[in-house]
């Protein structure tokens, strides 16, 4: 939010001590006994703006810009939490150490979102989401390959005498299907996961905006991406992918409430509405795909 210069009316941003238009100093001495407002911190200086949070007058030396562009006084600005997460310190920690520290913090200490830095680059958020998807995609693809490759061998080891013996093409089809699913899951799973992150964030952001949240989309994307740390648990066979969605939802609630500084009800709505809607759609499509694959194998 810009404030007009008292000399030329040219807008200047909070924190400036000289006008960018006319170059005049904005540190104006207050007139004793005058009607003009004075700074709450420096009573000898004239107040040029009011804090949008506490309503006090502030001089040019005390005006600050808040995370949403609002005008704050220096006291309220210092109260704004801005603790960096390990993911924000990759240059000092290194990529994988920063990822591991953030992974542990998000899963075991979600309350730290209340003091965490809200803003972050879109590319950083998407990179974190991509890395979180790699273990789950690899283990999911490997599990499918083992099932589709091992099932024909199991059927051959314990044949059913009541069923006619085929030419073996069905077993070959299932084995190659398993290999194909592994390759497809490993190569296509991570970028599709990032795409789903963007789509899910978009829906969540609409819900949060309806609940009164005013911070930008980048904050929602950062919160959503960080909450996907739980998907790295997908490296644990079978159990990991079952636990990860629920753990991610819990982390997402804390992330939305902490980074958006919003209420518990709004954060819950933002975290739950989109997953509940997509669960019904994706679950039906997944079952249809599995039934189609087994149906084709049975016809061979």
């Amino acid at each position: 939010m810009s404030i007009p210069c008292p000399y030329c009316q040219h807008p200047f941003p909070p924190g400036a001590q000289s006008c960018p238009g006319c170059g005049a100093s904005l540190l104006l001495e207050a007139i004793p006994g005058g009607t003009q407002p004075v700074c709450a911190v420096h009573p000898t200086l004239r107040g040029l703006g009011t804090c949008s949070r506490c309503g006090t007058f502030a001089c040019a030396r005390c005006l600050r810009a808040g995370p949403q562009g609002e005008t704050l006084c220096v006291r309220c600005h210092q109260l704004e939490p801005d603790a960096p997460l390990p993911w924000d310190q990759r240059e000092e920690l290194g990529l994988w150490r920063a990822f591991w520290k953030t992974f542990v913090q998000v899963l075991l200490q979600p309350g730290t979102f209340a003091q965490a830095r809200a803003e972050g680059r879109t590319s950083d958020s998407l990179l974190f989401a991509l890395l979180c998807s790699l273990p789950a995609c690899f283990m999911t693809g490997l599990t499918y390959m083992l099932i589709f490759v091992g099932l024909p061998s199991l059927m051959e080891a314990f044949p059913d005498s009541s069923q006619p013996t085929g030419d073996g093409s069905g077993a070959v089809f299932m084995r190659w299907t398993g290999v194909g699913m592994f390759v497809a899951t490993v190569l296509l799973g991570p970028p599709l996961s990032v795409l789903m992150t963007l789509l899910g964030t978009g829906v969540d952001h609409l819900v949060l905006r309806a609940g009164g949240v005013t911070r930008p989309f980048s904050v929602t994307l950062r919160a959503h991406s960080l909450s996907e740390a739980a998907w790295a648990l997908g490296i644990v066979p079978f159990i990991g992918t079952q636990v990860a969605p629920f753990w991610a939802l819990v982390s997402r609630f804390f992330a939305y409430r902490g980074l958006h500084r919003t209420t518990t009800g709004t954060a819950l709505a933002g975290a739950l509405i989109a997953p509940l809607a997509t669960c019904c759609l994706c679950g039906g499509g997944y079952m249809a795909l599995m039934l189609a694959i087994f149906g084709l194998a049975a016809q061979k």
Side-chain angles (χ1 to χ4, degrees):
M1 180 177 179
S2 298
I3 306 167
C5 170
Y7 295 108
C8 66
Q9 302 304 308
H10 188 282
F12 67 89
Q17 297 190 19
S18 62
C19 176
C22 64
S25 174
L26 298 173
L27 299 175
L28 306 178
E29 293 290 336
I31 301 175
T35 59
Q36 294 174 336
V38 297
C39 177
V41 179
H42 305 100
T44 60
L45 296 178
R46 180 177 164 186
L48 299 181
T50 57
C51 176
S52 61
R53 187 170 299 172
C54 68
T56 59
F57 288 99
C59 64
R61 187 178 296 168
C62 295
L63 289 173
R64 297 290 187 273
Q68 302 175 57
E70 71 274 28
T71 302
L72 299 178
C73 67
V74 65
R75 290 174 177 172
C76 291
H77 186 266
Q78 291 173 348
L79 295 175
E80 180 68 22
D82 192 42
L85 293 171
W87 185 245
D88 302 318
Q89 302 172 306
R90 295 191 303 281
E91 292 185 1
E92 296 85 1
L93 299 175
L95 177 66
W96 295 109
R97 187 181 178 193
F99 176 81
W100 170 253
K101 284 180 168 289
T102 306
F103 166 78
V104 173
Q105 185 170 329
V106 170
L107 265 62
L108 302 182
Q109 300 174 324
T112 57
F113 279 118
Q115 300 298 321
R117 180 177 299 166
E119 297 287 348
R121 293 186 301 180
T122 299
S123 58
D124 294 344
S125 300
L126 294 180
L127 176 60
F128 187 84
L130 179 69
L131 294 179
C132 291
S133 69
L134 294 179
C137 290
F138 174 80
M139 185 55 63
T140 299
L142 182 63
T143 301
Y144 279 131
M145 184 174 69
L146 292 177
I147 291 175
F148 280 86
V149 171
L151 189 60
S153 300
L154 185 63
M155 296 174 65
E156 292 172 357
F158 300 95
D160 187 353
S161 58
S162 63
Q163 297 292 332
T165 304
D167 57 2
S169 60
V172 174
F173 172 78
M174 289 193 68
R175 290 190 177 100
W176 278 109
T177 299
V179 174
M181 291 189 69
F182 172 77
V183 174
T185 304
V186 171
L187 295 181
L188 300 180
L192 286 176
S193 177
V194 172
L195 178 61
M196 293 302 297
T197 297
L198 285 170
L199 295 176
T201 302
V203 177
D204 290 354
H205 191 64
L206 291 176
V207 175
L208 292 170
R209 294 281 290 186
V213 164
T214 57
R215 293 192 171 185
F217 176 81
S218 60
V219 176
T220 307
L221 179 61
R222 176 175 166 86
H224 191 110
S225 299
L226 289 170
S227 70
E228 294 192 356
W231 282 103
L233 295 173
I235 195 64
V236 181
F238 303 108
I239 300 176
T241 53
Q242 308 304 317
V243 173
F246 302 100
W247 207 326
L249 287 178
V250 173
S251 300
R252 192 163 303 153
F253 159 71
F254 281 98
Y256 284 163
R257 190 178 66 172
L259 298 190
H260 276 296
R261 317 291 191 249
T262 187
T263 62
T264 298
T266 300
L268 277 174
L272 294 179
I273 287 180
L276 290 176
T278 55
C279 182
C280 299
L281 297 175
C282 296
Y286 177 82
M287 292 300 298
L289 177 63
M290 291 296 100
L291 291 175
I293 291 175
F294 281 104
L296 289 173
Q299 295 175 5
K300 296 292 184 177

